[in-house]
Amino acid sequence: FKTIIAHKISDIKTATMIMMRSSPVVLPLFLVAVSVLTTIVTAQYGGGGGGFGGEPKFCKAYRCKKDHEAVPKWPLRLTSPGCSGMGGMSVFSGMGGGGGDEDVHTSCCDHRHACVQTCGSLKSFCDEEFIKCTKATCAAMDDEAARKKCDSSASMHEMMVNMDQCQKFDQEQYAHCECVPTSDATTKREKVLRAFYKKFNPDSVAKVSALAIKADSTRKMASLLMKLYKKYPQVIKKVKDPQQQMMEDMMKKTKDEKANDDVEDADEEESDAEDLGVDEL
């Protein structure tokens, strides 16, 4: 399967380079197709629970060995590349191809990234919350044209999250969870909550003990943290999506090369004119 994926993606990259040289004008649309096709190829051949064709798949929750529980690592280190990190047309958010400088679903995308990075969360829950968020965003719009555009964007985002692989979710959980003896789990969760409030709302540290009692399991702790993210969105650090950066660099390079070619053509035309004799004019 890995060999198949490598060959498929290699073919896609080769086609991209040919397109860059031959037709820079249609490059943005072609790159959208490349992004979507790469995701589909990986989902189809790579396994890992990805949903081919946009069908959702259920990924297993993070688990520890017997007599241990998963608790969040501190600091949380939540990051979001925004909607550009969702793939597909989303890659062009903020670069003139996704319908504006900022996707209307940016907040929804930020919280979806944070959700899969939260120890104890379920991918199915993160996806469902994300879809509800995007639909609510569109439904709140009064302008019909804007709402239709929003619905179209939401549908693309939904397809991309449904094709997202379990492997990626598992990696995020592994990076943000730690397993501790069950006897220490309550104390560890309280320490995380106390550190969170000290950083984002020092005046409410007194709430921590009561909240820790309610968040007495890995799943409940994850649910509580998701509510806190909505109240304190600054906990999510905005970062640049590597794929978007790569495409921006490719487009800039193509634009620069085209500009240089135009200058060279102009210089050649000027040189030809200077070589003409008086009798030829």
Side-chain angles (χ1 to χ4, degrees), residues 75 156 232 255:
M156 174 62 75
Y232 308 102
K255 184 178 179 181

Side-chain angles (χ1 to χ4, degrees), residues 150-275:
C150 181
D151 287 335
S152 177
S153 175
S155 296
M156 174 62 75
H157 290 324
E158 181 176 352
M159 182 182 74
M160 299 312 294
V161 298
N162 285 339
M163 288 195 298
D164 209 1
Q165 296 183 84
C166 290
Q167 182 181 10
K168 183 177 179 181
F169 172 77
D170 293 341
Q171 289 172 344
E172 293 288 8
Q173 289 292 292
Y174 181 81
H176 293 85
C177 287
E178 64 174 312
C179 293
V180 300
T182 301
S183 57
D184 298 334
T186 299
T187 301
K188 179 63 177 179
R189 284 191 285 265
E190 183 172 344
K191 284 183 178 179
V192 171
L193 288 173
R194 194 171 300 280
F196 184 98
Y197 270 92
K198 281 184 177 179
K199 184 170 183 178
F200 297 104
N201 189 358
D203 294 336
S204 297
V205 172
K207 297 179 180 179
V208 169
S209 296
L211 289 173
I213 292 173
K214 293 180 180 180
D216 59 356
S217 69
T218 301
R219 196 68 48 78
K220 288 181 180 179
M221 180 67 171
S223 179
L224 173 59
L225 287 174
M226 286 303 299
K227 292 176 181 177
L228 289 174
Y229 302 160
K230 291 181 179 180
K231 189 171 183 180
Y232 308 102
Q234 65 270 33
V235 68
I236 306 172
K237 181 181 179 181
K238 302 293 187 73
V239 297
K240 189 77 170 181
D241 175 48
Q243 187 178 20
Q244 182 187 22
Q245 184 65 59
M246 179 190 73
M247 290 187 176
E248 286 180 356
D249 291 343
M250 289 168 64
M251 293 177 71
K252 183 178 183 300
K253 181 179 179 182
T254 302
K255 184 178 179 181
D256 291 343
E257 288 177 351
K258 187 177 184 302
N260 289 335
D261 290 341
D262 291 342
V263 171
E264 290 176 2
D265 290 342
D267 289 341
E268 289 177 4
E269 291 176 1
E270 184 178 345
S271 177
D272 290 342
E274 291 176 351
D275 291 340

Side-chain angles (χ1 to χ4, degrees), residues 29 31-37 39-40 51 53-55 83-93 97-98 103 105 109 112 130-131 134-135 138 148-164:
L29 292 178
L31 289 177
V32 172
V34 170
S35 178
V36 174
L37 182 58
T39 303
I40 290 175
E55 294 298 324
C83 295
S84 64
M86 299 304 216
M89 279 294 291
S90 315
V91 174
F92 291 89
S93 297
D103 195 300
H105 301 299
C109 294
R112 199 270 178 177
F130 173 71
I131 293 168
T134 57
K135 289 183 177 179
C138 297
K148 286 183 178 180
K149 188 175 181 180
C150 181
D151 287 335
S152 177
S153 175
S155 296
M156 174 62 75
H157 290 324
E158 181 176 352
M159 182 182 74
M160 299 312 294
V161 298
N162 285 339
M163 288 195 298
D164 209 1

Side-chain angles (χ1 to χ4, degrees), residues 41-151:
V41 167
T42 306
Q44 182 180 15
Y45 293 104
F52 177 61
E55 294 298 324
K57 294 292 181 181
F58 297 97
C59 306
K60 295 179 181 179
Y62 185 86
R63 295 185 181 279
C64 298
K65 64 182 181 181
K66 187 178 180 181
D67 298 326
H68 284 68
E69 290 185 27
V71 297
K73 292 180 180 178
W74 182 266
L76 298 176
R77 301 189 190 284
L78 306 175
T79 60
S80 172
C83 295
S84 64
M86 299 304 216
M89 279 294 291
S90 315
V91 174
F92 291 89
S93 297
M95 54 187 289
D101 290 338
E102 184 168 321
D103 195 300
V104 294
H105 301 299
T106 295
S107 178
C108 301
C109 294
D110 288 343
H111 283 89
R112 199 270 178 177
H113 287 297
C115 184
V116 298
Q117 294 169 17
T118 299
C119 180
S121 62
L122 295 174
K123 182 182 180 298
S124 57
F125 170 79
C126 296
D127 292 350
E128 288 168 6
E129 289 296 300
F130 173 71
I131 293 168
K132 284 195 292 185
C133 181
T134 57
K135 289 183 177 179
T137 299
C138 297
M141 293 183 170
D142 296 325
D143 183 77
E144 184 177 355
R147 186 166 61 251
K148 286 183 178 180
K149 188 175 181 180
C150 181
D151 287 335

